Amino acid sequence: MPARKDFQSSSRLKQIMADHFLELDRAAKQGSPKVAWCTSVGPAELLRGMGYLVYFPENHGALLGASRLATDLIPTANAMGYSPDICSYLTSDIGSYLKKVTPLTRAYGIESVPKPDVLVYNTNQCRDVKDWFTWYGREFDVPCIGVVTHREVGRVEEHHIGSIARQIRDLVPVLEEVSGRKLDMDRLKEAVKLSKKCTDLWKSVLDTAANVPSPLTFFDATIHMGPAVVARGTQVAVDYYEELLEELDERVSFGVAAVQGEHVRLYWEGMPIWGKLRNLSELFAGLKTCVAASTYCNSWIFEAMDPEEPFESMARAYLELFIARDEAYKEEYIKDRCEQFHLDGIVYHDAKTCPNNSNSRYGMPDRLSRELGIPALILNGDLNDLRCYSEEQATTNIEAFIEQIVEG
């Protein structure tokens, strides 16, 4: 089995993630600074601009999946009425809270996730995040506020931006009351500026995979996107991606491949299967196949951020998110990525509990295969619930798919 090629930046990445959780743990215990829980594409820049430390439950959900704790925790949430068909980030995270189990204990010696002072959501990904946060709002008896966004958006219009920008502004009075401090516009603009720098660097990191051979894979990117998720809007994330990009550029200049002997290149559409990242990474590497690009990792590219128009640019950035767009936009987006990254096929992950991030159910694979002239594979699975995933069946399907591509 080919060895995984480690990144020199990995030690810095681990320290950033440790610092993030330990700082939140101290703040929750001391009561200062205030802690805001935020959905992954919620208004984190506003929260940082107002002096909050920001915790992302979806990131914790991914950790529950990657640590394979999720499948045992989901039934706890199911038993209190949350369907096994809804988001398994939600059910595993609530199950984790109820059973007082978290991977943060083993990783950092932290007893529990930080208690929130306020919860802030954005429904641009799904309604589930609102239901998820509302549950915690009742549990902790703290304000739960947010943005209800447009969905199935084709072209992003000014009226879309105006309505979202107003909703973000409307969050400010509650956030001021909870924090006890007024919004500092200079601090907000600084957070938006740093978020823009982070997003530009993260895009450059992902774009290095357009090189043949690619210096990183989708599986590498799901790990290295950590700072873009938990630290966007900070100098820490900017410094990290400058370091990582330098390492990747060096790999490109010396022709260093993430997958030795790369001869097939694929696109991954949909959520990762967190509990099987390593298995899948090694399976594809063994088949000399590089999964070079994905929708998921691109979800933390917010090119519209502009410190001179913080509210409007946040609104545009959150609206331009792939998951909130219509089918025609999504197809054009994937076609562009396939051409940019010189791809031979597309793997669609049909995640049982995440229909919003599964694009294989309404004919897209067939349409794109015809237009691009490349084959598609649909993998049935889930982001966190491994009861929905058959490793044996997935392995057989992937091996047959690669053989189909190689034989032309």
Side-chain angles (χ1 to χ4, degrees), residues 39 121-127 129-130 147-151:
T39 51
Y121 60 82
N122 186 341
T123 63
N124 51 4
Q125 296 175 90
C126 58
R127 63 161 282 177
V129 295
K130 181 180 178 182
V147 174
V148 177
T149 196
H150 307 276
R151 303 299 307 276

Side-chain angles (χ1 to χ4, degrees), residues 335 338-339 343-346 365-376 404-405 408:
K335 283 164 60 179
C338 286
E339 291 168 5
L343 303 179
D344 303 302
I346 304 174
D366 284 346
R367 288 195 296 274
L368 283 182
S369 284
R370 281 197 301 273
E371 290 187 43
L372 290 166
I374 59 176
Q404 175 192 354
I405 291 174

Side-chain angles (χ1 to χ4, degrees), residues 173-397:
V174 176
L175 295 173
E176 288 180 335
E177 183 177 349
V178 172
S179 69
R181 60 199 300 179
K182 289 290 185 183
L183 170 63
D184 180 335
M185 282 302 294
D186 289 337
R187 193 168 179 174
L188 171 59
K189 289 181 178 181
E190 180 66 13
V192 173
K193 184 177 79 173
L194 291 172
S195 196
K196 170 65 173 171
K197 285 185 178 179
C198 172
T199 207
D200 288 346
L201 286 162
W202 177 236
K203 182 176 186 301
S204 296
V205 164
L206 295 176
D207 283 350
T208 63
N211 289 279
V212 180
S214 169
L216 85 165
T217 71
F218 159 68
F219 304 101
D220 299 321
T222 59
I223 306 303
H224 288 277
M225 67 187 286
V229 176
V230 306
R232 82 173 198 264
T234 73
Q235 187 64 43
V236 168
V238 172
D239 292 345
Y240 178 70
Y241 288 117
E242 286 177 343
E243 179 182 335
L244 179 60
L245 184 58
E246 187 176 339
E247 184 177 355
L248 286 164
D249 285 340
E250 185 176 328
R251 282 191 177 196
V252 171
S253 66
F254 287 100
V256 176
V259 172
Q260 294 176 26
E262 171 197 300
H263 72 149
V264 173
R265 297 167 62 87
L266 300 178
Y267 186 88
W268 183 280
E269 211 307 296
M271 296 290 289
I273 303 170
W274 285 109
K276 293 294 178 181
L277 274 188
R278 176 174 286 274
N279 304 58
L280 286 166
S281 172
E282 291 178 346
L283 173 61
F284 281 108
L287 296 167
K288 297 183 178 179
T289 296
C290 178
V291 183
S294 72
T295 307
Y296 178 75
C297 293
N298 285 5
S299 298
W300 277 264
I301 296 174
F302 307 111
E303 294 180 287
M305 290 287 178
D306 179 356
E308 297 308 311
E309 294 187 317
F311 288 101
E312 288 73 18
S313 69
M314 281 190 288
R316 178 179 284 280
Y318 304 153
L319 273 167
E320 288 180 343
L321 194 68
F322 177 91
I323 196 171
R325 308 301 292 275
D326 67 8
E327 199 82 345
Y329 172 89
K330 290 178 178 177
E331 290 185 13
E332 286 302 313
Y333 180 90
I334 294 174
K335 283 164 60 179
D336 288 346
R337 300 289 88 71
C338 286
E339 291 168 5
Q340 178 189 356
F341 288 85
H342 318 291
L343 303 179
D344 303 302
I346 304 174
V347 175
Y348 292 83
H349 173 207
D350 189 333
K352 169 70 173 171
T353 70
C354 190
N356 292 280
N357 235 337
S358 296
N359 290 295
S360 57
R361 301 180 183 182
Y362 297 94
M364 184 188 291
D366 284 346
R367 288 195 296 274
L368 283 182
S369 284
R370 281 197 301 273
E371 290 187 43
L372 290 166
I374 59 176
L377 171 67
I378 300 173
L379 280 184
N380 293 307
D382 192 59
L383 53 162
N384 268 16
D385 193 343
L386 292 180
R387 295 171 300 180
C388 305
Y389 177 75
S390 165
E391 184 150 22
E392 186 176 340
Q393 185 177 46
T395 299
T396 300
N397 290 343

